[in-house]
Amino acid sequence: MIPAARQAVSSAGALSTGTGYASCHHGEILQGVFRDAGGRRCAGLVTLPMSGLGSHAEFVRDPSTPPEELSVFPENRTKACRAAALAVEECARRRREAPCGGQLRLTGDIPVGLGMGSSTSDVIAVVRAVADSYRLRLLPDTIARLAVRAELACDPLMLDGRPVLFAQREGRVLEVLGPALPAVVVVGCALGGGAPVDTLSLPVRVHDDEDVRAYERLRALLRRAVAAGDAALLGEVASASAWRGQKLLRHAEFDVLTDIAKGIGAVGVQIAHSGAVAGVLFDPAFPGIGPRVRACARALESSGIPATRTFTTFPTTKEFLHGSAHRGIDRQAGSDTP
């Protein structure tokens, strides 16, 4: 692998290496249909950020090659390859240069197919790496525009964790909800044995005016939760959104998951709208939060729901997360999934 330090091969047609990184998320807190500032309906979502896992990209730009000579490793990362070509076109235009080819390498540790934004993470890391090779830093709205073109819909990972209502099919922010989500502890798990969800096979649900009003009410509640740092209200919104999502996803373990959450004193549950990843949400201010978290992981396991990892939406010490609940079980990243 070519090191991150830039490498000049010759004064004419020099190779230039750029690197980029993007984190993942843990599914959605809220997902549905909302109205934008102009009153138009559009699909939108609010993701639950999760640090520690992500995609790394390295792009070696070669001005001596035509733009169609663009290789990617692993070879099955087709969305990432499209993103690289689009980013080269964008950056070359800004530098007033001709687009060229190059070599792209991706590495990462995000589980694929669970609804954690692995493909968007790849795409954003690639766009940042290409821009870095041109000595450019693209703004988030530009990255979002390129990401939507590369994969038709994207998650708001280019915003680095800020809670926003994001129109995933249009690549634009509908509302900035605040500086940070309320503090919660999340016990992650995988429904359906962790099998990928083929969203293309799901029936298309038509949302009526009552659906839109319901989602707008949840949007208002989430806005209040963020402003007040209210973990309980955040859990209420996430649970309501997860329940509405079951009209399409129909996870067999949903009732078991919610029963465990209620019985152990959690504030709610959240589920990815395009995968099997889910989380039980706890208010860290509750007495005995450590034993609650560990008891939750045990209850999930005994019910046949694999516990994956425990994390927080706030900075904390390692000791806070250590224990039997912090399994740290992750799958190797693989190819793009529908």
Side-chain angles (χ1 to χ4, degrees):
M1 181 182 295
I2 298 177
R6 294 356 181 226
Q7 299 186 359
V9 175
S10 65
S11 57
L15 299 180
S16 180
T17 302
T19 59
Y21 174 81
S23 61
C24 68
H25 61 76
H26 198 264
E28 284 70 39
I29 294 170
L30 176 60
Q31 189 264 334
V33 175
F34 306 87
R35 295 196 182 277
D36 64 10
R40 183 175 64 86
R41 288 186 186 181
C42 57
L45 51 78
V46 181
T47 55
L48 176 60
M50 186 180 74
S51 60
L53 303 178
S55 297
H56 296 265
E58 180 183 73
F59 182 67
V60 182
R61 180 165 58 91
D62 186 355
S64 68
T65 61
E68 58 270 18
E69 290 188 16
L70 198 159
S71 63
V72 60
F73 180 84
E75 295 181 352
N76 54 17
R77 302 298 177 89
T78 55
K79 296 176 183 177
C81 191
R82 286 198 298 270
L86 292 168
V88 165
E89 183 181 327
E90 175 77 18
C91 293
R93 180 184 61 79
R94 294 182 179 219
R95 287 298 191 196
R96 297 184 179 181
E97 299 176 5
C100 65
Q103 297 82 44
L104 174 65
R105 176 178 291 269
L106 280 162
T107 56
D109 50 9
I110 304 174
V112 171
L114 295 187
M116 298 174 68
S118 60
S119 62
T120 295
S121 181
D122 280 354
V123 164
I124 294 173
V126 165
V127 171
R128 287 172 170 167
V130 171
D132 189 40
S133 77
Y134 280 91
R135 314 298 191 268
L136 293 172
R137 184 179 294 273
L138 301 179
L139 294 176
D141 59 344
T142 301
I143 297 176
R145 173 172 54 82
L146 295 175
V148 168
R149 290 180 62 192
E151 56 172 345
L152 302 182
C154 71
D155 299 311
L157 299 175
M158 72 292 297
L159 301 173
D160 296 324
R162 275 190 303 158
V164 299
L165 179 62
F166 188 76
Q168 69 270 27
R169 296 173 187 168
E170 303 172 26
R172 64 188 178 102
V173 175
L174 300 177
E175 180 182 356
V176 177
L177 297 167
L181 289 172
V184 291
V185 180
V186 184
V187 179
C189 59
L191 304 180
V197 174
D198 183 0
T199 54
L200 297 179
S201 68
L202 297 175
V204 177
R205 185 182 172 199
V206 178
H207 295 279
D208 57 23
D209 289 340
E210 178 53 37
D211 288 327
V212 177
R213 285 192 290 269
Y215 284 122
E216 286 292 349
R217 285 193 292 269
L218 292 177
R219 174 184 185 176
L221 289 177
L222 184 55
R223 188 187 301 125
R224 282 173 45 196
V226 171
D230 191 328
L233 193 53
L234 175 73
E236 180 182 337
V237 171
S239 297
S241 180
W243 177 80
R244 296 185 73 86
Q246 292 310 298
K247 295 179 181 180
L248 284 182
L249 295 175
R250 301 184 185 280
H251 289 296
E253 310 99 325
F254 180 72
D255 289 340
V256 174
L257 181 69
T258 54
D259 286 346
I260 290 173
K262 292 175 183 176
I264 213 144
V267 295
V269 300
Q270 60 85 213
I271 296 178
H273 80 280
S274 62
V277 72
V280 182
L281 311 179
F282 289 89
D283 185 339
F286 278 5
I289 182 62
R292 286 177 190 264
V293 164
R294 290 188 285 275
C296 178
R298 289 194 296 269
L300 290 170
E301 293 282 0
S302 65
S303 299
I305 303 175
T308 51
R309 62 171 48 218
T310 299
F311 63 98
T312 70
T313 60
F314 59 95
T316 186
T317 62
K318 291 183 179 180
E319 289 76 13
F320 187 89
L321 294 178
H322 282 175
S324 59
H326 187 57
R327 299 290 301 280
I329 300 173
D330 294 311
R331 301 182 176 191
Q332 292 299 314
S335 61
D336 291 335
T337 56

